[in-house]
Amino acid sequence: MDLASIVSALGGELHGDAARVVTGLAPLETATSNELSFLSNPKYQQQLADSNAACVIVGVAMRDAAVARGACIVTEQPYLYFAKVTQLWKRQRDLARGKAHGPSQGPWVHASAVVDPAATIDATATIGPLCVVEAGARVGAHSVLKSRVTLGEDCVVGARCVLHAGVVIGADGFGFAQDGERWEKIEQLGAVQIGDDVEIGANTCIDRGALQDTVIEDGVKLDNLIQIGHNVRVGRNTAMAGCVGVAGSATVGPNCTIGGGAIVLGHLTLGPNVHISAATVVSKSILKPGHYTGIFPIDENASWERNAVTLKQLHSLRDRIKNLEKELKK
Amino acid sequence: MDLASIVSALGGELHGDAARVVTGLAPLETATSNELSFLSNPKYQQQLADSNAACVIVGVAMRDAAVARGACIVTEQPYLYFAKVTQLWKRQRDLARGKAHGPSQGPWVHASAVVDPAATIDATATIGPLCVVEAGARVGAHSVLKSRVTLGEDCVVGARCVLHAGVVIGADGFGFAQDGERWEKIEQLGAVQIGDDVEIGANTCIDRGALQDTVIEDGVKLDNLIQIGHNVRVGRNTAMAGCVGVAGSATVGPNCTIGGGAIVLGHLTLGPNVHISAATVVSKSILKPGHYTGIFPIDENASWERNAVTLKQLHSLRDRIKNLEKELKK
Amino acid sequence: MDLASIVSALGGELHGDAARVVTGLAPLETATSNELSFLSNPKYQQQLADSNAACVIVGVAMRDAAVARGACIVTEQPYLYFAKVTQLWKRQRDLARGKAHGPSQGPWVHASAVVDPAATIDATATIGPLCVVEAGARVGAHSVLKSRVTLGEDCVVGARCVLHAGVVIGADGFGFAQDGERWEKIEQLGAVQIGDDVEIGANTCIDRGALQDTVIEDGVKLDNLIQIGHNVRVGRNTAMAGCVGVAGSATVGPNCTIGGGAIVLGHLTLGPNVHISAATVVSKSILKPGHYTGIFPIDENASWERNAVTLKQLHSLRDRIKNLEKELKK
């Protein structure tokens, strides 16, 4: 792809030879003289000067430094521009590999997929190999189910969604009533509603609701191996990293981020713009926007052991301090 | 469904018009005048008075309040009764959708499933789309493998079990002997035995034993994305929430509950009636029934940072307190 | 299998009747008089004396005790020897069940697998039922994809690898650029490279790189339900237990072990021979070999609650101790 075609597709202010062909995208430090790179964080400015890249995407503040080095594309948001270049690149590569489906004559459903006749697949959607789409399920425009996705009965996927391999939408929520020592199943009569522009990572599970639906709003991004319990609601544009677990009936607000391996307990509410660190347990509702953490700090094992033992006496240590303070006052 | 048919199927003391038709089940606060609801926890009594529900399932203690409001079904255990209503509802809905298989002429195996001829499937069992059932595996009466389940060689599933999409039973346990820096595989020669009335959530994995079998006893309920290592034994009616990991050769007693994201280390024993909080690490055997927890409390990040730094000096803080106490004695 | 054939295949010094037939492998304490067992840890020496096993594999130091008991095989590394016996056993059992494929006439690909014509499968490889192998992917000699594995576009698996059911190699890494409140997808243009002798557990996911490849080096062993983010590199012979999450662009050195449920944050480096305890959060790079831990100790819930509350004041407790020390000095 030449620089001219990139700028003509995505805009930006090109400095350098528009006919220059780039053969790949690469980070600044490894880019060869045929590759396009980007600088989004000004603190890596030194890497810019040292880079062999054919061309570098930079922000306005870096214009002079970038021009001094060689070819560059100047834009307001270089990281966002870079994202769009990756999309352009992917489309070109898919075209070159003959992967484009051509003008759609109906949805593209792989022959090995098992799609119930009572499911509704938009004419522009793609259902990959070995997927299962059950009765009453719906898949919206331009959405893609990669391989081996299960979309359960009555579950709805909006437009422009991507569900990666192994995703399970609409397995039963975990609901049982106790009958002495036995557990009696509560049939899960709700479904799952997924909005537009949602991406769901490999082997992630979203359970159907007990009576009402589990809801994933527009623009949500979920990484791999995430568990979303029944009747959870995840607000617009919230992103969760891998291995997160959200227990039943929790409400996660819009524009939140949840770090990898974090656990959100059931029936809690996170307000908008709440950011949870990786591996943190959210054990109470949090309505105030901010950054929250609860991680036991890693340490050399021997040191950890000493501190962990002491931790179990922390309450009594506090009492001893209180006593010392009293005695000293006397 | 009318109230008469519910009470005739499940018992309970009906107050109100038996011919009243209900069109759905809903929580008290959202139920419309056509929906059936329930009150299991007396602390939500106010919601009862305010509810528009057509009929409410209540306990004996709530009889008067419920009758004063309108139609109700009085029963000893309203939550259990509600569970049974969901089952009734599901059966009705499946019938209406033509999903009942009719009197079984042999197991119902989806054409896309890959079932080894040397597997044994009960005539009343269901094997869903794109499942894999390997040689020597057995599936008991009325058990259901939903879509894309793998049941490995020689693994046994009892009666009335439900295995949700993506479950893997009988992958190799994680066993290797060290040979210098290399790992030499220990072939896993055992299998997995799953009792009756077990439910296993989406994408959960239960590994085959090394020499002997991994065992899941009757009535166990496992949520999604759980990992059960080789040679684990999980006792009757124990329930585990999503994302739990139980390492190899651990024994979890009967009637335990394990919260989401908890980790049980290998070779440990949990006795009966042990309840582990979410995200807790069980690092030693626990024989005394009770409720156990180990979670770093969540906090605003800045506050967490200060405390986390101090935590690494906790042992020395204790020593300083000890010194203060000594000096003060002098 | 008789003892003679075991020793002839694997070496070792046999004491006892070479014609003795063993019908199974079992731990010392449960082995019957027809079963072969092993003793690798001298502290279980008492179990040796009490065992009914037909024959016991022991180290040199245990020779006399073992000979005094009965038949034994003496070898330098009894646990490693035992591992090799399990392999021998598995091969025999597979042969007896007619599972050997015979001299390969090309790769053994199950009829239900979906293999792109532009994928390259070695003539000695096995692709199990309902696997998906995408264009440009390669599977090396003697490697086995069990059932329902997805190997994504351009991803490479080396020789003698085992990928268990439900594994997803090459789903998109989790990469988005923020555009106001929206997330713009960064297409993941790299792939995944997996070396030789790698084993990957059920439902584990390894994401493709953003620009460059995610790399799993030779001899790595990954348990079930592990998440490996984009552009991670895992060094030779490193082993990770179930439910581990390694975030994007982290580098894990060779010969490391990572306990179950541990989380490694993004862009960190672990040097060689770093050992991380289960459920520990690695929040900074660790270059010094050793054993590291960060687990909140489990406790009875009531006791945990008291200590957890105090933990949030730990910083102020330290200040109070400091004050006490000052005052006492005066």
Side-chain angles (χ1 to χ4, degrees), chain C residues 138-210:
Chain C
R138 282 184 282 151
V139 179
H142 302 289
S143 283
V144 178
L145 277 59
K146 302 270 190 165
S147 58
R148 302 198 299 101
V149 170
T150 289
L151 182 63
E153 217 177 356
D154 297 330
C155 295
V156 176
V157 171
R160 297 174 304 280
C161 293
V162 180
L163 277 61
H164 286 281
V167 162
V168 179
I169 306 295
D172 282 350
F174 197 62
F176 300 91
Q178 226 160 353
D179 180 14
E181 296 192 334
R182 288 183 57 257
W183 297 100
E184 186 77 33
K185 183 171 176 73
I186 297 171
E187 290 288 354
Q188 304 291 299
L189 302 169
V192 180
Q193 287 176 39
I194 295 171
D196 299 333
D197 301 299
V198 171
E199 183 155 344
I200 302 178
N203 283 346
T204 281
C205 302
I206 304 177
D207 279 350
R208 63 176 61 244

Side-chain angles (χ1 to χ4, degrees), chain C residues 21 60 66-67 76 78 110 115 137 168 177 190 204 213 221 236 244 253 300:
Chain C
V21 170
V60 177
V67 169
E76 290 293 327
H110 193 275
V115 178
V168 179
T204 281
D213 292 347
K221 309 296 178 188
R236 288 170 72 89
V244 163
E300 295 191 23

Side-chain angles (χ1 to χ4, degrees), chain B residues 81-163:
Chain B
Y81 193 98
F82 162 70
K84 289 178 177 170
V85 174
T86 64
Q87 295 171 9
L88 199 60
W89 208 268
K90 181 88 171 1
R91 268 198 303 277
Q92 289 285 339
R93 199 168 74 176
D94 285 356
L95 274 172
R97 292 180 177 185
K99 279 180 60 184
H101 298 146
S104 193
Q105 310 276 323
W108 188 86
V109 177
H110 193 275
S112 65
V114 177
V115 178
D116 193 283
T120 307
I121 316 289
D122 185 90
T124 58
T126 300
I127 309 295
L130 303 169
C131 288
V132 176
V133 182
E134 297 183 2
R138 282 185 282 152
V139 179
H142 302 289
S143 282
V144 178
L145 275 59
K146 301 271 191 162
S147 58
R148 302 198 299 99
V149 170
T150 289
L151 182 62
E153 217 177 357
D154 297 330
C155 295
V156 176
V157 171
R160 297 174 304 280
C161 293
V162 180
L163 276 61

Side-chain angles (χ1 to χ4, degrees), chain A residues 190-225:
Chain A
V192 180
Q193 288 177 38
I194 295 171
D196 299 333
D197 301 300
V198 171
E199 184 155 343
I200 302 178
N203 283 347
T204 281
C205 301
I206 305 177
D207 279 349
R208 65 176 59 244
L211 296 177
Q212 292 161 315
D213 292 346
T214 303
V215 178
I216 310 293
E217 297 185 0
D218 296 347
V220 167
K221 310 296 179 187
L222 303 180
D223 197 357
N224 299 354
L225 288 166

Side-chain angles (χ1 to χ4, degrees), chain B residues 183 185 187 207 291 293 307, chain C residues 86-87 199 224 237 301 315:
Chain B
W183 298 100
K185 183 172 176 74
E187 290 289 351
D207 279 350
H291 178 194
T293 307
N307 289 320
Chain C
T86 65
Q87 296 171 9
E199 183 155 344
N224 299 353
N237 298 323
N301 187 68
H315 186 65

Side-chain angles (χ1 to χ4, degrees), chain A residues 23-305:
Chain A
T23 60
L25 309 179
L28 275 177
E29 65 274 36
T30 64
T32 68
S33 59
N34 296 317
E35 291 179 311
L36 175 63
S37 193
F38 70 100
L39 173 66
S40 62
N41 188 334
K43 83 175 175 189
Y44 296 119
Q45 190 179 345
Q46 187 52 46
Q47 291 185 5
L48 173 65
D50 298 344
S51 179
N52 293 320
C55 177
V56 181
I57 303 160
V58 297
V60 177
M62 291 290 119
R63 180 192 280 117
D64 293 348
V67 169
R69 191 205 67 98
C72 62
I73 297 170
V74 182
T75 177
E76 290 292 327
Q77 298 185 70
Y79 195 54
L80 180 59
Y81 193 98
F82 163 70
K84 290 178 176 170
V85 172
T86 64
Q87 295 171 9
L88 199 60
W89 208 268
K90 182 88 171 2
R91 269 198 301 278
Q92 289 284 337
R93 198 169 73 175
D94 285 356
L95 274 171
R97 291 179 177 187
K99 279 181 57 184
H101 298 146
S104 193
Q105 310 276 322
W108 188 86
V109 177
H110 194 275
S112 65
V114 177
V115 178
D116 192 282
T120 307
I121 316 288
D122 186 90
T124 59
T126 300
I127 310 295
L130 303 170
C131 287
V132 176
V133 182
E134 298 183 0
R138 281 184 281 152
V139 179
H142 302 290
S143 282
V144 178
L145 276 58
K146 302 270 189 163
S147 58
R148 303 197 298 99
V149 170
T150 289
L151 183 63
E153 217 178 355
D154 296 331
C155 295
V156 176
V157 171
R160 297 174 303 281
C161 293
V162 180
L163 276 60
H164 286 281
V167 162
V168 179
I169 307 296
D172 282 350
F174 196 62
F176 300 90
Q178 227 160 352
D179 180 14
E181 295 193 333
R182 289 183 56 258
W183 297 100
E184 187 76 33
K185 183 171 175 76
I186 298 171
E187 290 289 353
Q188 305 291 300
L189 302 169
V192 180
Q193 288 177 38
I194 295 171
D196 299 333
D197 301 300
V198 171
E199 184 155 343
I200 302 178
N203 283 347
T204 281
C205 301
I206 305 177
D207 279 349
R208 65 176 59 244
L211 296 177
Q212 292 161 315
D213 292 346
T214 303
V215 178
I216 310 293
E217 297 185 0
D218 296 347
V220 167
K221 310 296 179 187
L222 303 180
D223 197 357
N224 299 354
L225 288 166
I226 288 173
Q227 155 65 359
I228 305 287
H230 54 178
N231 298 105
V232 165
R233 173 177 285 267
V234 180
R236 289 171 72 90
N237 297 322
T238 280
M240 301 187 192
C243 309
V244 163
V246 182
S249 301
T251 299
V252 179
N255 306 309
C256 294
T257 58
I258 302 192
I263 296 281
V264 180
L265 299 191
H267 297 273
L268 302 182
T269 299
L270 298 192
N273 297 297
V274 167
H275 303 283
I276 304 294
S277 294
T280 291
V281 182
V282 182
S283 53
K284 55 175 188 185
S285 291
I286 299 179
L287 300 178
K288 188 179 153 201
H291 178 195
Y292 297 85
T293 307
I295 301 173
F296 201 105
I298 188 171
D299 204 350
E300 295 192 21
N301 186 68
S303 171
W304 167 79
E305 273 187 357

Side-chain angles (χ1 to χ4, degrees), chain C residues 243-256:
Chain C
C243 308
V244 163
V246 182
S249 301
T251 300
V252 179
N255 306 310
C256 294

